[in-house]
Amino acid sequence: MSDMSRRTFLWVTGGSSIALVTEPPRKLVNKLVNKLIPKVIPPENIRPGSWTVFATTCRECPAGCGMHLSHRDGRVTKAEGNPAHPVNRGALCPRGQSAPQGLYDPDRLRQVLYRSGGASRPSNWQDALSAISTRLISGGRAVILSSLQTGALAEVMTGFASAFRGKLLFHEAFNYEPMRAAHQELFGLPVVPHHDLENSDYILSFAADFLETWVSPVSYARQFADMHGFRQDDAQNRMVYVGPRLSMTASNADSFIQVPPGQERLVAATLLKLVIERGWQKNDLTPFRGALDGMLKGAGQVPAIPEATLLQVAQSFANARAPLALAGPSAAKGAVASDTALCAALLNYAVGAVGKTVDFSRPHALSRTAREAELAALLGSLGANDVLFVHDTNPAYSRNGAAAQLRRAGTVVYLGTMPDETAQMADWVLPIDSPLESWGEYEPEPGVRGLMQPGMGRIHDTRSAGDLFLKMAGLARRPLSRKGSAEPPADFASWLKAGWSAPGGEAAWAGALRTGGDWNTRPKSPAAPPALQAKGGLRFAAAGVTPLPKPAQAELWVWPSIMLYDGRLANRGWLQEAPDPVSFVVWGNWVDMNPRQAEALGIEEGEMVQISTATGSLRAPARITEEVGLQTVAVGLGQGHTALGKNAKGIGANAFVLLGGVNSGSTFAPCRIAKVPGGAGDRMTATAPSRNQLHRELLQAVPVSELRVMKPGEGDRLDLPLSKGHRPEEDMYPAHEHKKHRWGMAIDLQRCIGCGACAVACYAENNIPVIGKEMVRGGREMAWLRVPPYRMPGDRLRYAWLPLHCQHCDAAPCEPVCPVFAAVHNEEGLNAQIYNRCIGTRYCSNNCPYKVRRFNWLNVEWRKPLDLQLNPEVTVRTRGVMEKCTFCVQRIRQAEYRASRERRQLRDGEVVPACAQTCPTGVFTFGDLLDPNSRVSRLAATEPRRYQLLHELHTKPAVTFLRRVEVELG
């Protein structure tokens, strides 16, 4: 008989202990099991069953938004924006919302790997660090290629590279080199300046998709919504977009001017010439007329744009109070993109925007990234004596030909979290902590210092990148120390803390931990504009766009995915299943083609095509659309991985392979199109196949001139879901009595830009499963909240978005048809779904006119450790159960309990659903309709733009929509 004690028996048979004992692969459990039981010294500020918030900085892209991590019982479950952070002010984009999924990614690197003979095998930290340091001691040059870093980690990397006669470069796939080169030539400042969209009244974008991926999209989205929102007493601000593709940003513009790729510069140059010739300039640019004339003469005439349109745009831009010109696209490099950036910078200077809406005293951290020539020189110099450290970047995927250059280094060491393409070719793979497990800092612009702190303990056998560089330097007998300190720090956290504690001591460090950083020293107003150094001797690219006489030829246009950015996030199921805002395609990418060119080539919707340039080719399904012009093909970046993980490998095509050639007359490259065979697995998967409203007036708009004469309270009559909205002659059932609350929401369509952050936040908050490409293709998507695009009446190239979730109707059609009363109306007006009653008849879904209910067709497997991300406040549903939006009822209950404990009434705005909390533009307003002073009640009662979706059905929804505002151009 076993000598197991009674105490041990009770420990093993406890419900939670069974899970701990039967899952030995979990390093977290193995390490902490002895500490989880006694709790003699409990963790500071953490109570079991209670939520704790840690302030940190988002590192999913270089924008540097502030982030709050919701922590429960030892694990992070949700990321939210930090309301105090000046970059994002409490909002997050879809990529930021997906950060916890990156933390718990089942395909994350979990142990040290050593590559020998073409195959990788497990190793350990002692052997790895010993071998690498020995290589450095023997005279190896340390070369570091890293993602963009600032502050303490940048200091450590700089010191490490210097100690071993090496070099450090920060590599980002989108480095905005054309903009930096233009500012260098004009002002002697090779930087990405601060752009003040919020205080602008006229934005002119030359293919700069600032609402999606351009520089700092969350900040720009909030500023744009404030700038572009309706103000009763002020003139309506405007935006014009010039480019070859109808992007999400372009569709949010008041006017979209479609031009072939590479000819944005001609439009910019023509507008600049008109401003100079008509005397509308505030700063004299007459010396530049010769250079402009030469460029326009050499590159050809402006494409088929009416002269009146160009004149109207030039005059409106020049006469605006605070105009702003932006130059893109993000992925472009070369002479044509530089010309566009030069013209945009000159436009800003001509109308007095420099020093007003363009501030060079606050350069973005992206200004520190390596230029093309620097990166090419570094990779070309690699040799057998070099030890190349690749940190948190994937040049083997995002740079054509980089893999072969990297292999020339004597030793390649990869420090990262995912087994990407660069990791697959490295000699040593060192797994590092996720940003949510790390100490660090990031300063996106001067005076905005964001602090990073671990939100939880390590899940796997990983290390901090800073600790690894410090350790290797010590083992190689060249220990590193901070400037002004003779002693090496104990670890990277000590190095970091010393920098934050120096000005204000321990109190400054503690304050930064609470707030998430320090931004009190940032400039409050723009500095004086820099002097114009160029005196007219500019050199534009003389070559025009190469004529394309054959139907099989086209100009290539590539664009970063709003969900996947440069491809680093492609293994996250939430983002793969989140639809592209314009095409609404999921799980893959595609080739946009103009209908006339597709017809000439005999290509139909969904058929496979091959796109070839001088540097490579790809295959993807064709999407036939007028969103791109004739002889233009557009492909999204971020897909087509050969590694990275289960969700990324083999999905879509890698458009980076098409880039890298020398194309003096193109923004990207000329290409050839060919129809090729394709299998069923190559088909596009779209969750909104049509943009037409079919005369149902789902997404409504009102002209600004009509809105100006309307008074508060005028407009549509709403059937409110309250007792005063009950009419016996129309209602079949008695009125519902709501004694305490009747929750409702208002959705401002004028502020919705279609980014989809709300939908991803809903996935994260409510344990919505990722079901994969095949299930979505079969119509079994699970998103509770969708933001489909609809074509605006009278404009085939203008879309708007309609956020749609459960309307929580007072006369809900789903409730009376449920045979088991699973769909019920609760005491606070919510249309509740009782999961353990549901038997899956789906009558409720059939009877719902809004089609917002989702049925679980299968039991979803939560690949470990993804189950650690699940929200403990929300039931995980099983097969055969219907589900849908709950207005985040768990948050409602938490707020009610908190108010009850504090013996007070709920405050207006205290309950914030996940969609409303993350929205960068403030689309959603949530509150109590029984409170006449609540903001949602005031909007439903007095806002002239108000209307209810499918009002004629008399379902009395609790969601009030506010119409978009249409600007009459003239």
Side-chain angles (χ1 to χ4, degrees):
M1 181 178 178
S2 172
D3 56 354
M4 180 184 290
S5 67
R6 177 176 177 272
R7 184 186 187 113
T8 302
F9 174 78
L10 292 174
W11 181 83
V12 171
T13 56
S16 61
S17 301
I18 291 175
L20 299 178
V21 172
T22 56
E23 297 190 37
R26 288 197 177 177
K27 303 296 183 183
L28 177 67
V29 171
N30 291 339
K31 289 183 177 181
L32 301 184
V33 66
N34 293 328
K35 298 179 182 178
L36 285 171
I37 305 305
K39 287 285 188 184
V40 176
I41 304 177
E44 185 180 0
N45 299 327
I46 294 178
R47 291 185 299 171
S50 298
W51 292 99
T52 305
V53 174
F54 291 90
T56 186
T57 302
C58 180
R59 292 311 321 272
E60 304 306 316
C61 78
C65 297
M67 182 184 280
H68 279 170
L69 301 176
S70 297
H71 178 283
R72 175 80 172 262
D73 297 338
R75 58 193 177 94
V76 169
T77 63
K78 186 71 168 62
E80 300 289 0
N82 183 347
H85 201 282
V87 171
N88 56 318
R89 302 187 190 180
L92 280 182
C93 69
R95 302 186 296 277
Q97 280 292 333
S98 75
Q101 202 170 49
L103 169 67
Y104 298 117
D105 195 317
D107 297 312
R108 257 188 76 181
L109 293 169
R110 304 185 181 204
Q111 59 183 338
V112 177
L113 298 174
Y114 176 63
R115 184 173 176 269
S116 178
S120 296
R121 59 176 176 80
S123 185
N124 58 68
W125 285 106
Q126 182 176 353
D127 290 349
L129 298 181
S130 176
I132 296 168
S133 58
T134 300
R135 185 77 176 80
L136 293 170
I137 291 173
S138 64
R141 182 180 71 134
V143 178
I144 303 176
L145 192 61
S146 171
S147 62
L148 179 58
Q149 305 293 330
T150 68
L153 187 54
E155 293 170 3
V156 170
M157 288 180 173
T158 301
F160 186 88
S162 177
F164 297 100
R165 305 174 294 102
K167 190 174 181 63
L168 165 66
L169 285 184
F170 296 122
H171 168 60
E172 291 288 341
F174 314 130
N175 63 1
Y176 304 91
E177 183 173 343
M179 186 198 308
R180 293 158 60 191
H183 293 152
Q184 168 74 36
E185 186 167 0
L186 294 178
F187 307 109
L189 298 170
V191 300
V192 178
H194 175 81
H195 298 98
D196 187 0
L197 278 69
E198 186 173 6
N199 292 311
S200 172
D201 62 339
Y202 196 103
I203 298 175
L204 179 56
S205 173
F206 296 100
D209 291 325
F210 59 88
L211 297 179
E212 300 160 68
T213 54
W214 195 82
V215 185
S216 189
V218 175
S219 175
Y220 293 154
R222 176 193 52 77
Q223 294 184 56
F224 174 76
D226 290 343
M227 166 264 187
H228 204 242
F230 175 72
R231 301 179 180 89
Q232 182 67 43
D233 299 325
D234 297 328
Q236 187 68 20
N237 297 331
R238 297 184 179 184
M239 172 191 166
V240 174
Y241 186 100
V242 181
R245 170 181 171 268
L246 185 72
S247 64
M248 186 190 90
T249 304
S251 194
N252 276 283
D254 299 297
S255 179
F256 170 51
I257 301 175
Q258 191 175 65
V259 297
Q263 300 209 12
E264 317 85 36
R265 62 173 178 157
L266 301 186
V267 177
T270 302
L271 295 175
L272 179 59
K273 185 179 178 182
L274 287 171
V275 169
I276 297 173
E277 290 179 345
R278 299 298 176 108
W280 295 330
Q281 55 186 330
K282 294 181 175 66
N283 294 307
D284 184 25
L285 290 180
T286 305
F288 294 91
R289 287 188 58 179
L292 287 172
D293 291 338
M295 190 259 277
L296 290 172
K297 182 178 179 181
Q301 294 302 311
V302 177
I305 303 173
E307 184 177 350
T309 299
L310 293 171
L311 190 62
Q312 185 267 327
V313 171
Q315 184 173 14
S316 298
F317 183 76
N319 293 338
R321 172 184 50 81
L324 175 62
L326 307 173
S330 301
K333 300 176 176 68
V336 173
S338 295
D339 281 358
T340 306
L342 268 173
C343 291
L346 286 170
L347 276 169
N348 283 326
Y349 185 81
V351 299
V354 177
K356 194 171 184 179
T357 54
V358 181
D359 186 2
F360 282 91
S361 69
R362 298 167 62 183
H364 198 274
L366 282 160
S367 307
R368 305 179 59 190
T369 55
R371 295 189 179 191
E372 184 68 19
E374 294 175 313
L375 188 57
L378 178 73
L379 296 177
S381 69
L382 293 175
N385 193 45
D386 294 324
V387 182
L388 174 64
F389 296 88
V390 182
H391 169 253
D392 191 38
T393 187
N394 189 10
Y397 165 80
S398 63
R399 183 177 173 83
N400 228 336
Q405 293 176 303
L406 296 177
R407 290 192 184 96
R408 294 209 295 260
T411 303
V412 179
V413 182
Y414 176 79
L415 298 87
T417 60
M418 298 298 298
D420 60 25
E421 288 80 358
T422 303
Q424 297 299 307
M425 53 159 296
D427 300 299
W428 286 101
V429 176
L430 307 184
I432 62 173
D433 297 336
S434 157
L436 306 192
E437 302 168 313
S438 304
W439 289 105
E441 61 182 328
Y442 184 69
E443 188 174 14
E445 62 179 58
V448 181
R449 298 178 64 201
L451 184 63
M452 298 168 61
Q453 61 175 313
M456 60 180 290
R458 291 184 175 118
I459 302 176
H460 308 301
D461 186 18
T462 58
R463 299 289 186 273
S464 159
D467 283 331
L468 289 176
F469 283 113
L470 291 174
K471 182 70 173 177
M472 287 185 288
L475 291 174
R477 303 168 194 163
R478 295 184 185 178
L480 304 178
S481 58
R482 292 188 74 254
K483 186 177 181 180
S485 174
E487 292 297 322
D491 52 23
F492 178 69
S494 301
W495 184 303
L496 176 71
K497 183 177 179 180
W500 282 82
S501 302
E506 193 69 27
W509 171 252
L513 288 175
R514 283 192 299 269
T515 60
D518 177 21
W519 34 83
N520 294 321
T521 60
R522 73 185 192 279
K524 303 300 182 184
S525 59
L532 187 66
Q533 295 188 0
K535 302 302 180 183
L538 295 181
R539 290 177 297 175
F540 292 100
V545 176
T546 305
L548 302 172
K550 298 180 181 179
Q553 294 177 322
E555 280 291 327
L556 175 69
W557 186 265
V558 298
W559 45 277
S561 163
I562 187 176
M563 300 298 170
L564 308 182
Y565 194 55
D566 60 359
R568 67 184 70 179
L569 311 178
N571 203 50
R572 299 183 184 176
W574 290 345
L575 300 183
Q576 287 282 10
E577 211 144 289
D580 172 77
V582 175
S583 69
F584 236 58
V585 171
V586 299
W587 288 98
N589 54 356
W590 61 94
V591 175
D592 282 329
M593 294 182 61
N594 187 273
R596 285 187 289 167
Q597 186 164 24
E599 183 180 6
L601 295 174
I603 297 172
E604 297 183 1
E605 179 86 7
E607 291 187 322
M608 292 295 291
V609 296
Q610 178 171 294
I611 307 299
S612 304
T613 67
T615 58
S617 64
L618 61 78
R619 296 187 176 195
R623 177 172 172 264
I624 314 302
T625 176
E626 292 183 336
E627 294 161 13
V628 295
L630 185 63
Q631 291 195 303
T632 300
V633 294
V635 189
L637 296 164
Q639 299 279 16
H641 285 272
T642 59
L644 198 66
K646 179 181 177 181
N647 289 334
K649 186 176 181 180
I651 300 295
N654 181 9
F656 280 109
V657 303
L658 303 176
L659 309 180
V662 178
N663 301 292
S664 59
S666 302
T667 303
F668 292 105
C671 64
R672 295 186 63 85
I673 313 165
K675 181 179 175 179
V676 295
D682 298 321
R683 291 180 298 165
M684 283 187 299
T685 301
T687 56
S690 175
R691 308 289 174 274
N692 296 322
Q693 301 192 47
L694 303 176
H695 308 290
R696 302 193 72 182
E697 297 184 344
L698 304 175
L699 197 155
Q700 301 182 20
V702 58
V704 66
S705 57
E706 180 180 325
L707 191 59
R708 291 259 182 240
V709 299
M710 298 180 72
K711 298 177 181 178
E714 295 183 352
D716 289 10
R717 175 185 63 82
L718 302 186
D719 293 330
L720 294 175
L722 302 171
S723 56
K724 63 182 180 182
H726 182 264
R727 283 185 285 277
E729 68 278 7
E730 297 182 15
D731 289 299
M732 294 178 61
Y733 301 99
H736 290 110
E737 294 296 331
H738 308 112
K739 296 183 179 179
K740 289 186 177 181
H741 308 287
R742 205 315 174 188
W743 301 108
M745 179 177 282
I747 298 178
D748 190 344
L749 299 181
Q750 175 65 11
R751 300 184 73 90
C752 181
I753 59 173
C755 69
C758 52
V760 178
C762 185
Y763 265 82
E765 173 73 17
N766 294 297
N767 302 337
I768 299 177
V770 174
I771 59 173
K773 183 175 183 178
E774 293 304 318
M775 294 293 288
V776 173
R777 180 180 294 166
R780 295 172 178 177
E781 61 175 316
M782 296 302 296
W784 289 6
L785 170 58
R786 300 170 74 247
V787 194
Y790 287 101
R791 183 173 285 110
M792 297 299 292
D795 192 343
R796 59 184 177 80
L797 290 180
R798 183 91 189 281
Y799 297 156
W801 287 265
L802 183 73
L804 190 60
H805 46 39
C806 178
Q807 304 292 287
H808 293 274
C809 309
D810 198 60
C814 57
E815 293 174 7
V817 298
C818 180
V820 293
F821 301 102
V824 297
H825 203 83
N826 78 0
E827 71 281 0
E828 296 184 353
L830 298 181
N831 176 244
Q833 184 72 17
I834 313 302
Y835 297 135
N836 61 358
R837 287 185 191 170
C838 183
I839 60 174
T841 64
R842 290 175 284 151
Y843 295 163
C844 56
S845 181
N846 292 337
N847 220 38
C848 174
Y850 306 102
K851 299 306 172 191
V852 291
R853 288 176 164 264
R854 305 289 176 254
F855 184 71
N856 284 272
W857 292 91
L858 71 165
N859 284 321
V860 176
E861 175 192 2
W862 298 89
R863 294 175 62 204
K864 299 183 186 308
L866 279 175
D867 56 330
L868 291 177
Q869 186 275 325
L870 295 174
N871 186 347
E873 302 281 352
V874 179
T875 302
V876 178
R877 285 76 64 188
T878 56
R879 184 177 62 182
V881 171
M882 188 67 69
E883 61 183 65
K884 51 110 197 156
C885 165
T886 66
F887 272 167
C888 290
V889 64
Q890 66 278 6
R891 296 192 176 201
I892 295 174
R893 295 292 177 253
Q894 290 168 12
E896 290 174 338
Y897 296 156
R898 183 168 56 249
S900 177
R901 289 195 306 268
E902 297 173 4
R903 298 183 179 181
R904 60 172 176 81
Q905 296 294 317
L906 272 174
R907 293 184 286 265
D908 184 34
E910 187 173 357
V911 180
V912 185
C915 55
Q917 185 165 8
T918 199
C919 179
T921 58
V923 170
F924 305 93
T925 301
F926 186 78
D928 187 359
L929 290 171
L930 287 183
D931 178 4
N933 297 317
S934 68
R935 185 161 179 255
V936 70
S937 292
R938 296 198 306 271
L939 289 172
T942 64
E943 172 57 59
R945 294 184 290 140
R946 67 191 186 277
Y947 77 100
Q948 289 174 315
L949 196 61
L950 301 179
H951 177 264
E952 65 275 14
L953 299 181
H954 195 59
T955 58
K956 294 190 283 188
V959 178
T960 301
F961 289 90
L962 307 182
R963 292 178 175 87
R964 286 184 68 92
V965 179
E966 289 297 295
V967 179
E968 298 95 338
L969 298 177

